[in-house]
Short mmCIF file of all heavy atoms in Angstrom, two decimals:
data_model
loop_
_atom_site.label_atom_id
_atom_site.label_comp_id
_atom_site.label_asym_id
_atom_site.label_seq_id
_atom_site.Cartn_x
_atom_site.Cartn_y
_atom_site.Cartn_z
N ILE A 169 6.85 56.58 -23.59
CA ILE A 169 5.67 55.71 -23.48
C ILE A 169 5.93 54.19 -23.91
O ILE A 169 5.49 53.28 -23.26
CB ILE A 169 4.51 56.26 -24.36
CG1 ILE A 169 3.89 57.51 -23.62
CG2 ILE A 169 3.37 55.25 -24.54
CD1 ILE A 169 2.80 58.18 -24.27
N LYS A 170 6.73 54.06 -25.00
CA LYS A 170 7.14 52.74 -25.48
C LYS A 170 7.84 51.96 -24.37
O LYS A 170 7.52 50.83 -24.03
CB LYS A 170 7.89 52.84 -26.70
CG LYS A 170 8.14 51.38 -27.39
CD LYS A 170 8.86 51.62 -28.67
CE LYS A 170 9.22 50.29 -29.24
NZ LYS A 170 9.97 50.32 -30.57
N GLY A 171 8.83 52.62 -23.76
CA GLY A 171 9.51 51.98 -22.63
C GLY A 171 8.73 51.61 -21.45
O GLY A 171 8.86 50.55 -20.92
N ASN A 172 7.86 52.65 -21.00
CA ASN A 172 7.02 52.32 -19.88
C ASN A 172 6.03 51.24 -20.17
O ASN A 172 5.81 50.39 -19.21
CB ASN A 172 6.39 53.66 -19.45
CG ASN A 172 7.26 54.66 -18.96
OD1 ASN A 172 8.35 54.34 -18.42
ND2 ASN A 172 6.90 55.96 -19.08
N LEU A 173 5.38 51.28 -21.35
CA LEU A 173 4.40 50.16 -21.53
C LEU A 173 5.18 48.86 -21.65
O LEU A 173 4.64 47.82 -21.22
CB LEU A 173 3.74 50.52 -22.79
CG LEU A 173 2.61 51.47 -22.92
CD1 LEU A 173 2.10 51.76 -24.32
CD2 LEU A 173 1.42 51.09 -21.98
N GLN A 174 6.43 48.77 -22.20
CA GLN A 174 7.08 47.56 -22.37
C GLN A 174 7.39 46.79 -21.06
O GLN A 174 7.33 45.67 -20.81
CB GLN A 174 8.31 47.66 -23.21
CG GLN A 174 9.02 46.36 -23.68
CD GLN A 174 8.03 45.47 -24.47
OE1 GLN A 174 7.88 45.65 -25.59
NE2 GLN A 174 7.34 44.47 -23.77
N GLU A 175 7.61 47.74 -19.96
CA GLU A 175 7.93 47.19 -18.73
C GLU A 175 6.74 46.61 -18.11
O GLU A 175 6.74 45.78 -17.16
CB GLU A 175 8.52 48.33 -17.79
CG GLU A 175 9.95 48.76 -18.11
CD GLU A 175 10.65 49.35 -16.98
OE1 GLU A 175 9.97 49.91 -16.07
OE2 GLU A 175 11.75 49.49 -17.00
N THR A 176 5.56 47.12 -18.52
CA THR A 176 4.35 46.50 -17.95
C THR A 176 4.02 45.11 -18.52
O THR A 176 3.37 44.32 -17.76
CB THR A 176 3.14 47.53 -18.30
OG1 THR A 176 3.46 48.81 -17.90
CG2 THR A 176 1.79 47.06 -17.66
N PHE A 177 4.48 44.89 -19.74
CA PHE A 177 4.06 43.55 -20.32
C PHE A 177 5.33 42.66 -20.24
O PHE A 177 6.50 43.12 -20.28
CB PHE A 177 3.72 43.81 -21.73
CG PHE A 177 2.37 44.60 -21.96
CD1 PHE A 177 2.44 45.90 -22.19
CD2 PHE A 177 1.20 43.88 -21.70
CE1 PHE A 177 1.26 46.59 -22.29
CE2 PHE A 177 -0.03 44.64 -21.78
CZ PHE A 177 0.08 46.01 -22.11
N VAL A 178 5.03 41.32 -20.15
CA VAL A 178 6.06 40.36 -20.25
C VAL A 178 6.33 40.02 -21.89
O VAL A 178 5.28 39.87 -22.59
CB VAL A 178 5.68 39.05 -19.57
CG1 VAL A 178 6.61 37.91 -19.66
CG2 VAL A 178 5.44 39.32 -18.05
N ILE A 179 7.53 39.95 -22.30
CA ILE A 179 7.93 39.39 -23.59
C ILE A 179 7.95 37.90 -23.47
O ILE A 179 8.84 37.32 -22.85
CB ILE A 179 9.10 40.01 -24.14
CG1 ILE A 179 9.04 41.49 -24.22
CG2 ILE A 179 9.56 39.45 -25.43
CD1 ILE A 179 10.28 42.26 -24.71
N PHE A 180 7.02 37.17 -23.91
CA PHE A 180 6.85 35.77 -23.76
C PHE A 180 7.81 34.94 -24.53
O PHE A 180 8.35 35.41 -25.52
CB PHE A 180 5.37 35.24 -24.17
CG PHE A 180 4.31 35.95 -23.39
CD1 PHE A 180 3.37 36.63 -23.83
CD2 PHE A 180 4.41 35.70 -21.96
CE1 PHE A 180 2.32 37.17 -23.06
CE2 PHE A 180 3.37 36.27 -21.16
CZ PHE A 180 2.37 36.93 -21.65
N PRO A 181 8.16 33.66 -24.16
CA PRO A 181 9.07 32.83 -24.82
C PRO A 181 8.46 32.40 -26.21
O PRO A 181 7.36 32.42 -26.39
CB PRO A 181 9.29 31.62 -23.84
CG PRO A 181 8.00 31.59 -23.11
CD PRO A 181 7.57 33.01 -22.95
N LYS A 182 9.41 32.05 -27.00
CA LYS A 182 9.12 31.65 -28.43
C LYS A 182 8.60 30.10 -28.44
O LYS A 182 7.93 29.72 -29.29
CB LYS A 182 10.25 31.61 -29.31
CG LYS A 182 10.72 33.13 -29.50
CD LYS A 182 11.85 33.07 -30.47
CE LYS A 182 12.44 34.51 -30.74
NZ LYS A 182 13.57 34.62 -31.64
N VAL A 183 8.86 29.39 -27.30
CA VAL A 183 8.50 27.92 -27.38
C VAL A 183 7.72 27.61 -26.08
O VAL A 183 7.78 28.39 -25.15
CB VAL A 183 9.70 27.18 -27.45
CG1 VAL A 183 10.38 27.17 -28.74
CG2 VAL A 183 10.63 27.30 -26.15
N PRO A 184 6.93 26.63 -26.00
CA PRO A 184 6.23 26.07 -24.87
C PRO A 184 7.17 25.82 -23.76
O PRO A 184 8.24 25.34 -24.00
CB PRO A 184 5.26 25.01 -25.29
CG PRO A 184 5.19 25.16 -26.81
CD PRO A 184 6.48 25.72 -27.23
N LEU A 185 6.66 25.96 -22.50
CA LEU A 185 7.51 25.79 -21.30
C LEU A 185 6.80 24.93 -20.44
O LEU A 185 5.59 24.96 -20.20
CB LEU A 185 7.95 27.10 -20.76
CG LEU A 185 8.86 28.03 -21.38
CD1 LEU A 185 9.08 29.22 -20.39
CD2 LEU A 185 10.26 27.36 -21.58
N ALA A 186 7.68 24.09 -19.75
CA ALA A 186 7.05 23.34 -18.45
C ALA A 186 7.23 24.19 -17.25
O ALA A 186 7.99 25.23 -17.29
CB ALA A 186 7.85 21.92 -18.35
N VAL A 187 6.65 23.70 -16.11
CA VAL A 187 6.76 24.40 -14.93
C VAL A 187 8.42 24.41 -14.50
O VAL A 187 8.97 23.31 -14.65
CB VAL A 187 5.92 23.78 -13.85
CG1 VAL A 187 6.29 24.40 -12.36
CG2 VAL A 187 4.46 23.91 -14.08
N LYS A 188 8.80 25.51 -13.99
CA LYS A 188 10.19 25.70 -13.69
C LYS A 188 11.06 26.07 -14.86
O LYS A 188 12.25 26.27 -14.72
CB LYS A 188 10.80 24.66 -12.77
CG LYS A 188 10.10 24.31 -11.51
CD LYS A 188 9.90 25.53 -10.59
CE LYS A 188 9.09 25.13 -9.35
NZ LYS A 188 8.83 26.43 -8.59
N GLY A 189 10.44 26.05 -16.08
CA GLY A 189 11.11 26.43 -17.19
C GLY A 189 11.45 27.96 -17.22
O GLY A 189 10.67 28.69 -16.62
N ASN A 190 12.48 28.47 -17.95
CA ASN A 190 12.77 29.84 -17.92
C ASN A 190 13.19 30.38 -19.25
O ASN A 190 13.54 29.47 -20.11
CB ASN A 190 13.79 30.20 -16.81
CG ASN A 190 15.05 29.40 -17.02
OD1 ASN A 190 15.76 29.28 -17.96
ND2 ASN A 190 15.52 28.67 -15.89
N TRP A 191 13.22 31.62 -19.45
CA TRP A 191 13.58 32.27 -20.72
C TRP A 191 14.08 33.58 -20.39
O TRP A 191 13.86 34.16 -19.32
CB TRP A 191 12.40 32.23 -21.73
CG TRP A 191 11.27 33.31 -21.35
CD1 TRP A 191 11.15 34.55 -22.00
CD2 TRP A 191 10.20 33.11 -20.39
NE1 TRP A 191 10.06 35.11 -21.38
CE2 TRP A 191 9.45 34.29 -20.58
CE3 TRP A 191 9.87 32.03 -19.60
CZ2 TRP A 191 8.31 34.42 -19.73
CZ3 TRP A 191 8.74 32.20 -18.87
CH2 TRP A 191 7.87 33.44 -18.95
#
Side-chain angles (χ1 to χ4, degrees):
I169 287 181
K170 185 176 182 179
N172 291 335
L173 281 174
Q174 190 62 80
E175 286 200 345
T176 306
F177 296 99
V178 176
I179 299 178
F180 295 122
K182 295 180 179 180
V183 296
L185 289 180
V187 172
K188 303 304 178 183
N190 53 56
W191 71 100

